[in-house]
Every structure is written in structure tokens, then in C-alpha cells.
Amino acid sequence: MKNTLWKTKLVIIMALVIGSVSCSREKWPGVESIEVSWELVSNNYHDQARVKALFVIENKSDFTLDQENWELYFNQNPRTLIRTNEESRTKVERISGDWYRIIPLDGFSLAPGERVEIIYENHGWWIKESDAPKGLYFVLNDSRKQETIVVVENYTIMPFEREDQILRHRNDYKPMPDPANRYDQNKNLSLLPQDQLLPLVPTPYYMSAVSENVVFIREPIIYYQQGLEFEANYLKRLLEELCNCNISAREGFSGGSYAIDLLVEDISVNGKSSEAYRLTINKDHNITITGSDVAGVFYGIQSLSSLGMSANMTSGGVSLPVVTIEDAPRFGWRGVHVDMARNFHSKESILKVLDIMAWYKLNVMHMHLTEDEGWRIEIKALPELTAVGGQRGHTTKGAPAVHPSYGSGPFPYAEGTFGSGYYTQEDFIEILRYATQRHITVIPEINMPGHARAAIKAMEARYEYFMARGDEAAAEEFRLIDPDETSEYISAQLFDDNVVNVARESAYRFFETVLDEVIAMYKEAGAPLDILHVGGDEVPSGAWTNSPMIDAKMKELPHITKPANMHAYFSERVTEILLARNLKKAGWEEVALKVDQDGQLVPNVAFADGNMIPFVWNNLWGAQDLGYRLANRGFPVVFNHVTAFYLDLAYDNDPKEPGLYWAGFVNQKSPWHYNPFNVFQTTTRDHMWRTVNIEEEYRHMERLNPAARENILGLQIQLWSETIIGPNLLESFLLPRMISFAETAWGPEKSWESMPAGPRYEREVQRQWNIFANTLGARELHRLSQLFGGYHYRVPLPGAIVEDGMLKANIELPGLAIRYTTDGTEPTRHSSLWEGPVAVDAPVIKLRAFDRSGHHSRTVEVSAGS
């Protein structure tokens, strides 16, 4: 096996550097001095949705770029190309997915000191700096066709400043992201006193009124019931960090003073006896946490620790409220999805996410392990999956290798890039154990039959390796394509070669081989595995339409009359494989749908037996009721609704605010202002920010039957990683929006959820949001700087105007401090504190928001005339 793995790696390395066994840079003097800039010209120049952009290449090297000796490669948020300006004598090509190149045409010549402007047009729009080309590199060819790869070092993204750069097109209704508009958006928020903040987040089901406190003048001892040793030591570590003291933990029960008793008993809260707890702090200096199960004890510990962080530290000791809390989650599934396939996130980053999930009582991590752009889990029987699929580098589209994406650059594992990497089995087992200890279930996703390009390329590398050695049986054993297929399709991410051929028996052999190793890892970790997520989404129209293997298989399956419904055949086969291993199948909503005679996607009730769990993301474009239609027909569902829970979507349309926006924007309020049993009520704007008339737009849509409420297992936020590059961005996309989600997933039903739309409803939403926003600004953000080594979280930008010579400012999360300067310098923690309207006469005022730990927002500027 080791010899085979080594030889396979050699094949991959050769594939990655096809033709690029580099010559010395000495043949290309001054190449590092070539300057490249990129500018978004306009999104609004055409009646159709089109975007125009401009590259400028300035040759400051000592050689001429001609029609044969260079190509410039890059990644960019993929769009369909329309044209390149003829005057440049170049052509911009999209090769695959988000991988592009610029090639010179006949007659091109750029001598030292000259510059060329390359204008290219695309369908769609770009409005973000994160939309700009990334990972630029030249491939230089000498007269002998030997290639040298040079990463572009001098690259500038020109600023997005004009309206036609920031708005998506002429019918974009989203306001410009300037300080004045932010000020207007924040105008209904007000600063509250500390005693009006929520005492705990997420909000418990019941908490007694606090009328007195008890002061602990010495450290308590933790007593725990048998089976709660981890929970006791977890609490011990948290408290020791809070008080900078030593705390003892011992098995047993005290019931006395200066004791924290942890125990499991038969309790129920709000009719729920899973994950429930009762926390009492009495005036006799005793703290008792009683859980309905071990998880309930763990969540009681989180609440006690949160109260401890809010405690008053006096010279006499630690003052805690005398209180009783009875609590249980609203939903049993409170999930966080992390995509580590498109950009890799290290084991350490995932462990840190698990820590903050546990603090806010979230209990499912959905690991998106495989994608077109990467395979991230070691399968020892198929080492090519990580040797090939786990790394990205320069290659050719048809080679058995994975090309650069999302700015990962030409060289695998280059410093500062995140396109290459995978979890060894030891890594994955460690993640499973860590999660299980914190009562978090890990759901693995192995994405098929679409989104499978990395796996396909890996198995083609295996195929070529064994065919070169004359072993056709081994070559075909796990192959995933029909080599004679000529189907034409384009996926959502603009790949045309990412779909597994589901007529191949080897595809199911592949799936079983991967699955059995995943099961073995869970067993070794002692972690539960009841559900496997198979993806199953976005199989593009046209796939399998010209495949001899599919045609032959359909002749054996007379009930399947359309190639598109071979997806349902795949679902049946995979479900059988999973059921044989006592596993349920989860997938994106498409796995529970089929194409009817009219070409419409409808629920496939044949799968509504409880063993298939659709994850419903679409609540736009006429599908606002899809989740209810599935739940009403008996499917257990998880809601991942894009308008509230896709945290990879940008907060707003500020060009410096990274993220996607294909479904609109998701801000701090979005996951909080969500009604799971009436999504129409909180889906009040479309993805273009147009106000939706709820009664008119949704009146014909299907409502959730009361009896089907129990089919909604829970809620899940999504972090897709196209623009999430590195650990800091992973944390700042997640936080603090995850806290708003936790309040919705755990906390009790909000009073406004049962109100009809109207002024009373709007007032109550605003009142409750103001309390929650104040709690975040005054307390929770600061905690993020302290917990588990501290997090890199987003601090919102201030809103500001100058009116009649007076500077007025506000903030999305009241409780944050706004500081400003009038001398052109960047505001610091020591700059002037804005506390109310103040006279200013400087031409430019700079403002930043700060939390108590010193974390701050970006700087905003207003002028005295604004």
C-alpha cells in the first residue's frame, strides 16, 4: 500500500506541474516588477445584468511580453463571459469553475515600459472587493516551451466608490452603504441600562426574578454524580479561568454550602426531557445543576459560567444572583455547517468553533468534507482522494488533478493559502471525540452525485495509474465517470465535469468504501453516527443526457423515463446502502424531490418514511413554502433558510464587507428575526431588497399543518467557504451572528411570532430586538474576546451624519463605544468618546466602534457638509 501511495503521489505531482518543471527566473529578468491592477468599471452600463471590469498590465520588466510567451491565470467569483476588448489583442477565458486566464492573441506585444488595458464583460454583477481576481500568477513559456510559473507580487485592486460599482444593477433597491444610511437604519435603536439586558443568552425557558444576591467569599467545591466526570472538570477549568483560583472536583454529593452539585435526575421542562436542566443558586451558598441527562447538566454548566462572567467581583468575594432557572431547547437540532472543502480549515480552527458552539448550547456540527474543489478526509483504501483531491495547484483542465480555486495559487500548500489540506484519520477522530465530549454530534457530508469533481479527478488519477500497469480491473474498480459520455451541462458554480455517473456500479462501490471507513472512525472515537449527509444538490440540467451507460441502465428501469430522474435512482441505491448499516440519509432538499410530468420539482413521497432528512435552504423565488410542503408530507426536515441562516452571505453591500450576496444579505438581526413556523412573516424582502407584500405574494403558498410541526427537527446555519479564507475570516463570518442564531434555535418562542403583521407586530419586534442588540453590544461581544483564547469577531460600523454643524452617531449594537477624531488620524481607544450630538468644524471626521476589550470596527468617514 505504501509503495502504491508513493507512486500515486508521483503521478499527481507530475500532473500538477504539467509542463512547468520551471526554468530559472534568470530567463525572465525583472518579471517580479510587472504590475497588475484590476478595476470594476460598472454594473449599470447595460439594461441587462452585466458587469464590465478592467485589467491593466504594466510591463516594468526587462523583456517583452509577446503573443506566445505568457499567460496570466487567476480566480474570480465565476460569471459567464461575454467579450474582451479587441484593442487589447488579448482574450479573457474562463477555464473551469472560478479559474480564468488571459491569453495573448496574434500581434500582441508589450515592451518594457508599456501598458495594456484589458476590458472584459460578463453576465451578472460584482460589487465586492472579495469579488476581485485572486491568486494571480504568470505562466511564462520560452522558445523550447518550458514553463516558468511566477506569482504576481505587484497587484492592486482599485477602490469601489461609485454607485455603479456598488449597486448590482439599475433595479437594485438596496441603499448605498454609507454612514448616513447606517445612521438611518439604526435610528430606532437606543441604549438601555444594564438591568434591562438579557441575563443569559440564549434566553432560558424560565428564570426566576432576582431580588437578592449571595456572595461567595471562598471557592466552592464541585461534587458530581458518577458519569459526570468530564462535565465536572470542564466546569472546573472554566471557573478557574474566571476567578484565577484553584477549584476542587470530586465524585459525590454535598447539598451543603460552598458546593456545586452536578447530578442527573428524571426532570422535564416545557414537556421536554432531553437536554433539559434546572439550575439553582441559593442564599446558603449552594449551587445545584440537575440535568434530565448528561447533556442537560452540560448546558446548565454553560448557564452558570455565563452568570459567573457577569458576576460582580467585590473585595468580599463573588456576588451571584439567588435564582432558579428551568430550561430546555426549543429545537433538538441546533446546527452549524462548516465548509472545509472549498477552502480548508485546520483541525485547530474546527476545535475552536466547537468550543464556542458548546458555550451557546449548539449541538450539531455539519462537516462539509467533499466538494468540486477539494476532498478533506483521509480514506486509506483510496489514498488518491487526499493525494489528488486534497490539494490544488496549476495543471490543465483535463488532467487528473484539482486546479486552483478561490485564490489558492499555483503551488499546493504555499504559505498563506488554504486550497490544500485534509484531516488525517487521527485528526478526524480527535475532532469527533472533542465534539462528543461537548455533546455536539458531527454529521459528515460526502457530496454526490453532483459537486464531486475532486473525487472524480482523484479516481481518474487512480485509473491512469493502474492502466499504465496493465491492471484494468483495478483501474475500473472505483471509477466515477462514463468515458463515452458527451452530455453538456454547466453547474451552479460553472463546472462542466463534476457529476458522478450514477449508472456505474463502481460509483456505489466507491461510496460504500468511503462510508465504511467513516463508520470505523466514528467507532474508534466512540462518537454516535446515525445520519450521513450525501449532499445531493445542484445536479445540473443536462447531466446524463448523452451517456451510453445511463441509456443502458434506463432500459433496465422502465419506470424512469427521464435522465434527470436517475438522481432519484441514485438516492434509492444510497438509501439502501445506508439502511443496511442502520444509518439515515440526509441531503439538501433536492434528495426529497423528483421531476413530475410537467417538469416541476415536487416532493417524492416514496422517500417520506422517516429515513431521509431533507435540509431545506431555499425560501426564495417561489419556494418559500418548500420546507412546509415536505414537512406536511411526512419528511423530517432541517431548516437552513438562506435569507436568515447563510452566514457566508455578506452583512450588507459595503464593498469592503466580504461575502457572497446571490440571495441577498444576512445581517446580525437576520437569524434572530426568523419565525420557523411562519417564514412568510419574516421573509419581507427579496434578494434585490424589494419589499414583499406578504398577503399578496404568499397567499397561494402552503402553510405548515399544526400536526407537522414535530417534523421540523430544527435549524442550522451555513458557512460556505468561497470567500472564507483562513481562520480569522472563519471566525468573523460566524461571530457574532451565531449568537443571534442560538437565541432562535434554543430560546423560547418569541411573542411576536404569533402576532399578525401590522404596527403592533413591528413595535414588538423592534422592542425585543433592541434588548437583544444591547445585550450583544454591552456584554456578549466582549465575552468573545475572553472565551477560549479569544475570537476574531466582527464589530459593526457606526452610523453618522453632520447636521447643522453637529456630529450625530449611532450603532447597530448599542453598548459599543463610538470614538472619533477630527485631525485626520485613525480613532483609537483613547480618542474622543461620542456621547451625544457634538459641534464639529473639521472637513473630515473619522469614527470607529469599540467594545470593552478594544476590538474595533473599520473606520468610517463623514464630512462637515454631509
Side-chain angles (χ1 to χ4, degrees):
M1 176 63 74
K2 288 183 178 179
N3 189 45
T4 299
L5 175 57
W6 172 244
K7 289 180 179 179
T8 303
K9 285 183 176 178
L10 286 178
V11 172
I12 305 320
I13 292 168
M14 291 173 65
L16 283 168
V17 296
I18 290 186
S20 62
V21 179
S22 297
C23 307
S24 169
R25 282 196 183 192
E26 293 174 0
K27 289 193 173 184
W28 309 101
V31 62
E32 66 280 354
S33 298
I34 297 176
E35 294 182 358
V36 180
S37 67
W38 182 86
E39 180 180 359
L40 192 286
V41 176
S42 179
N43 291 303
N44 303 158
Y45 70 99
H46 200 279
D47 290 337
Q48 302 294 320
R50 291 188 180 183
V51 57
K52 184 185 294 185
L54 165 70
F55 276 105
V56 176
I57 301 175
E58 190 165 356
N59 187 3
K60 293 190 174 181
S61 75
D62 298 325
F63 65 94
T64 296
L65 295 171
D66 63 31
Q67 66 187 32
E68 294 182 341
N69 68 355
W70 71 279
E71 294 177 343
L72 178 62
Y73 289 79
F74 61 94
N75 297 117
Q76 187 166 23
N77 196 345
R79 302 288 186 266
T80 303
L81 282 159
I82 299 172
R83 64 173 68 90
T84 310
N85 64 320
E86 295 180 1
E87 301 81 16
S88 69
R89 292 186 179 274
T90 65
K91 183 179 181 182
V92 179
E93 294 182 334
R94 192 187 59 77
I95 308 166
S96 173
D98 74 332
W99 191 35
Y100 291 73
R101 68 177 177 178
I102 302 173
I103 60 172
L105 302 179
D106 288 347
F108 179 89
S109 179
L110 194 68
E114 295 181 340
R115 68 199 299 269
V116 62
E117 295 187 354
I118 302 168
I119 300 171
Y120 63 116
E121 298 179 53
N122 307 263
H123 293 288
W125 45 77
W126 289 313
I127 65 169
K128 298 278 185 184
E129 289 183 3
S130 56
D131 287 328
K134 302 180 185 70
L136 282 70
Y137 62 95
F138 282 106
V139 175
L140 303 170
N141 295 278
D142 65 14
S143 57
R144 294 180 297 172
K145 301 300 181 184
Q146 289 183 304
E147 293 183 345
T148 298
I149 296 176
V150 179
V151 174
V152 174
E153 298 176 8
N154 294 299
Y155 172 50
T156 303
I157 300 170
M158 305 305 291
F160 289 61
E161 297 173 330
R162 303 185 310 274
E163 186 173 293
D164 66 340
Q165 294 175 309
I166 297 171
L167 298 184
R168 286 165 283 183
H169 54 70
R170 297 174 185 176
N171 295 318
D172 189 350
Y173 290 80
K174 179 75 171 169
M176 287 285 286
D178 56 41
N181 276 323
R182 287 194 186 92
Y183 182 83
D184 185 63
Q185 291 161 11
N186 298 334
K187 65 185 179 183
N188 291 325
L189 293 162
S190 59
L191 184 64
L192 299 176
Q194 290 288 315
D195 62 2
Q196 292 187 31
L197 304 183
L198 296 174
L200 284 174
V201 176
T203 300
Y205 178 75
Y206 166 78
M207 183 172 180
S208 64
V210 177
S211 58
E212 60 180 319
N213 281 27
V214 59
V215 178
F216 284 75
I217 61 173
R218 66 175 187 268
E219 296 84 7
I221 296 173
I222 300 170
Y223 293 88
Y224 61 90
Q225 201 175 71
Q226 185 177 8
L228 296 175
E229 183 176 3
F230 173 81
E231 285 67 29
N233 285 311
Y234 179 93
L235 175 60
K236 168 181 159 68
R237 289 192 298 272
L238 284 176
L239 295 181
E240 287 178 341
E241 289 180 9
L242 286 174
C243 68
N244 194 25
C245 59
N246 293 316
I247 291 178
S248 299
R250 60 187 66 160
E251 188 174 329
F253 178 78
S254 167
S257 61
Y258 287 93
I260 302 175
D261 289 307
L262 307 180
L263 60 153
V264 173
E265 289 184 353
D266 186 15
I267 66 169
S268 176
V269 176
N270 191 28
K272 296 178 181 178
S273 56
S274 177
E275 301 183 299
Y277 69 90
R278 181 186 303 115
L279 165 63
T280 59
I281 304 174
N282 66 36
K283 59 186 178 182
D284 296 323
H285 300 90
N286 176 266
I287 300 172
T288 301
I289 298 174
T290 305
S292 61
D293 46 27
V294 179
V297 174
F298 186 76
Y299 295 132
I301 286 170
Q302 306 303 335
S303 293
L304 174 61
S305 301
S306 182
L307 291 174
M309 289 190 80
S310 301
N312 293 319
M313 305 293 180
T314 69
S315 57
V318 178
S319 178
L320 289 173
V322 175
V323 71
T324 297
I325 296 171
E326 295 182 352
D327 199 10
R330 183 179 187 184
F331 289 104
W333 188 298
R334 307 176 301 281
V336 175
H337 161 283
V338 179
D339 169 13
M340 54 278 298
R342 291 194 171 97
N343 279 304
F344 184 62
H345 302 300
S346 69
K347 176 188 72 177
E348 292 72 22
S349 291
I350 298 305
L351 298 182
K352 201 173 177 189
V353 171
L354 289 168
D355 279 328
I356 200 65
M357 285 176 60
W359 179 266
Y360 286 106
K361 303 184 176 79
L362 304 179
N363 68 342
V364 178
M365 174 174 272
H366 174 173
M367 295 184 71
H368 189 79
L369 294 164
T370 75
E371 251 300 342
D372 294 320
E373 302 91 345
W375 182 284
R376 306 303 184 185
I377 184 169
E378 178 186 21
I379 303 298
K380 292 183 177 179
L382 300 171
E384 302 84 0
L385 286 172
T386 45
V388 178
Q391 62 180 18
R392 298 201 290 256
H394 181 66
T395 183
T396 61
K397 180 175 182 288
V402 182
H403 61 65
S405 286
Y406 312 117
S408 58
F411 305 119
Y413 295 101
E415 185 178 355
T417 65
F418 297 89
S420 300
Y422 63 92
Y423 306 115
T424 65
Q425 294 203 356
E426 292 74 19
D427 289 336
F428 191 65
I429 289 167
E430 182 180 345
I431 290 169
L432 292 176
R433 286 175 175 157
Y434 198 86
T436 302
Q437 289 172 334
R438 287 153 181 78
H439 303 279
I440 295 171
T441 300
V442 175
I443 303 296
E445 180 178 349
I446 307 300
N447 209 343
M448 294 175 70
H451 290 278
R453 190 175 190 273
I456 289 169
K457 289 295 185 180
M459 292 303 95
E460 285 305 285
R462 181 184 180 91
Y463 172 82
E464 291 189 8
Y465 172 79
F466 283 109
M467 286 299 289
R469 285 149 184 79
D471 191 344
E472 184 175 0
E476 296 282 359
E477 186 178 9
F478 297 104
R479 204 174 187 192
L480 299 175
I481 66 166
D482 176 356
D484 297 321
E485 182 172 0
T486 58
S487 305
E488 294 184 4
Y489 60 83
I490 194 76
S491 75
Q493 288 75 32
L494 302 191
F495 292 101
D496 59 9
D497 55 356
N498 74 335
V499 180
V500 170
N501 192 288
V502 297
R504 290 194 70 109
E505 280 304 307
S506 53
Y508 304 99
R509 189 178 304 114
F510 171 89
F511 181 78
E512 288 185 291
T513 300
V514 171
L515 174 60
D516 287 340
E517 287 205 25
V518 170
I519 291 171
M521 284 183 256
Y522 274 79
K523 285 183 178 177
E524 185 170 342
L529 178 62
D530 301 313
I531 298 167
L532 185 96
H533 199 291
V534 299
D537 63 322
E538 295 183 335
V539 173
S541 176
W544 308 319
T545 52
N546 285 295
S547 163
M549 286 185 172
I550 290 289
D551 292 344
K553 179 60 68 174
M554 286 179 64
K555 290 178 181 177
E556 301 173 13
L557 305 167
H559 63 288
I560 295 180
T561 59
K562 303 176 186 228
N565 279 335
M566 285 299 290
H567 196 175
Y569 168 75
F570 173 81
S571 289
E572 291 172 5
R573 291 287 305 273
V574 166
T575 300
E576 290 170 2
I577 292 169
L578 293 171
L579 286 176
R581 292 159 175 80
N582 295 315
L583 295 175
K584 293 182 179 181
K585 172 185 168 184
W588 307 113
E589 58 205 41
E590 289 94 325
V591 300
L593 303 175
K594 67 177 181 179
V595 180
D596 68 9
Q597 294 302 313
D598 298 323
Q600 301 298 311
L601 283 171
V602 297
N604 188 348
V605 293
F607 291 148
D609 59 0
N611 291 310
M612 180 181 289
I613 305 169
F615 284 38
V616 182
W617 63 264
N618 192 359
N619 64 321
L620 285 172
W621 308 304
Q624 284 85 349
D625 65 342
L626 177 58
Y628 297 159
R629 284 189 277 139
L630 290 167
N632 287 343
R633 284 154 185 80
F635 284 97
V637 298
V638 175
F639 284 171
N640 318 73
H641 284 145
V642 61
T643 61
F645 298 150
Y646 268 48
L647 302 195
D648 55 294
L649 296 185
Y651 277 82
D652 59 31
N653 58 347
D654 186 326
K656 290 188 176 297
E657 194 76 56
L660 302 177
Y661 45 87
W662 57 271
F665 304 94
V666 171
N667 60 26
Q668 186 66 47
K669 186 178 179 181
S670 302
W672 179 91
H673 186 225
Y674 174 82
N675 187 341
F677 300 135
N678 185 3
V679 295
F680 313 109
Q681 183 187 44
T682 49
T683 310
T684 58
R685 290 187 185 272
D686 68 10
H687 66 298
M688 282 300 154
W689 213 249
R690 290 175 289 234
T691 300
V692 174
N693 183 318
I694 297 174
E695 295 300 322
E696 183 66 28
E697 191 80 14
Y698 305 140
R699 63 179 176 173
H700 299 301
M701 291 190 177
E702 192 169 319
R703 268 50 182 177
L704 180 67
N705 296 332
R709 283 192 172 200
E710 65 182 20
N711 291 332
I712 300 176
L713 302 181
L715 314 175
Q716 182 168 288
I717 49 175
Q718 310 294 112
L719 274 174
W720 301 100
S721 287
E722 289 96 329
T723 60
I724 302 177
I725 302 172
N728 287 350
L729 280 177
L730 176 65
E731 292 175 9
S732 64
F733 269 83
L734 184 66
L735 298 167
R737 286 184 292 187
M738 190 194 81
I739 308 174
S740 296
F741 169 75
E743 179 71 6
T744 297
W746 177 284
E749 181 176 342
K750 304 177 185 73
S751 60
W752 51 259
E753 292 183 37
S754 57
M755 292 181 180
R760 180 170 170 264
Y761 165 83
E762 296 294 341
R763 286 194 300 271
E764 187 61 15
V765 169
Q766 184 57 37
R767 184 188 72 81
Q768 292 186 31
W769 170 245
N770 191 50
I771 294 171
F772 191 77
N774 270 265
T775 304
L776 292 174
R779 189 183 69 214
E780 297 299 319
L781 262 66
H782 175 61
R783 286 186 175 179
L784 293 175
S785 71
Q786 300 175 297
L787 291 166
F788 311 112
Y791 289 85
H792 191 93
Y793 51 92
R794 178 185 182 270
V795 177
L797 278 65
I801 58 172
V802 177
E803 190 173 71
D804 298 327
M806 304 294 287
L807 173 65
K808 299 180 180 181
N810 57 22
I811 193 70
E812 179 185 358
L813 302 179
L816 298 173
I818 300 173
R819 296 187 179 272
Y820 68 96
T821 61
T822 57
D823 60 0
T825 60
E826 293 295 309
T828 70
R829 295 178 71 179
H830 307 292
S831 299
S832 298
L833 176 66
W834 187 90
E835 297 180 280
V838 60
V840 290
D841 59 7
V844 175
I845 301 98
K846 293 187 175 185
L847 305 95
R848 271 181 178 168
F850 291 81
D851 70 4
R852 287 189 287 132
S853 65
H855 280 67
H856 59 79
S857 68
R858 289 187 284 109
T859 299
V860 300
E861 296 183 6
V862 293
S863 64
S866 63

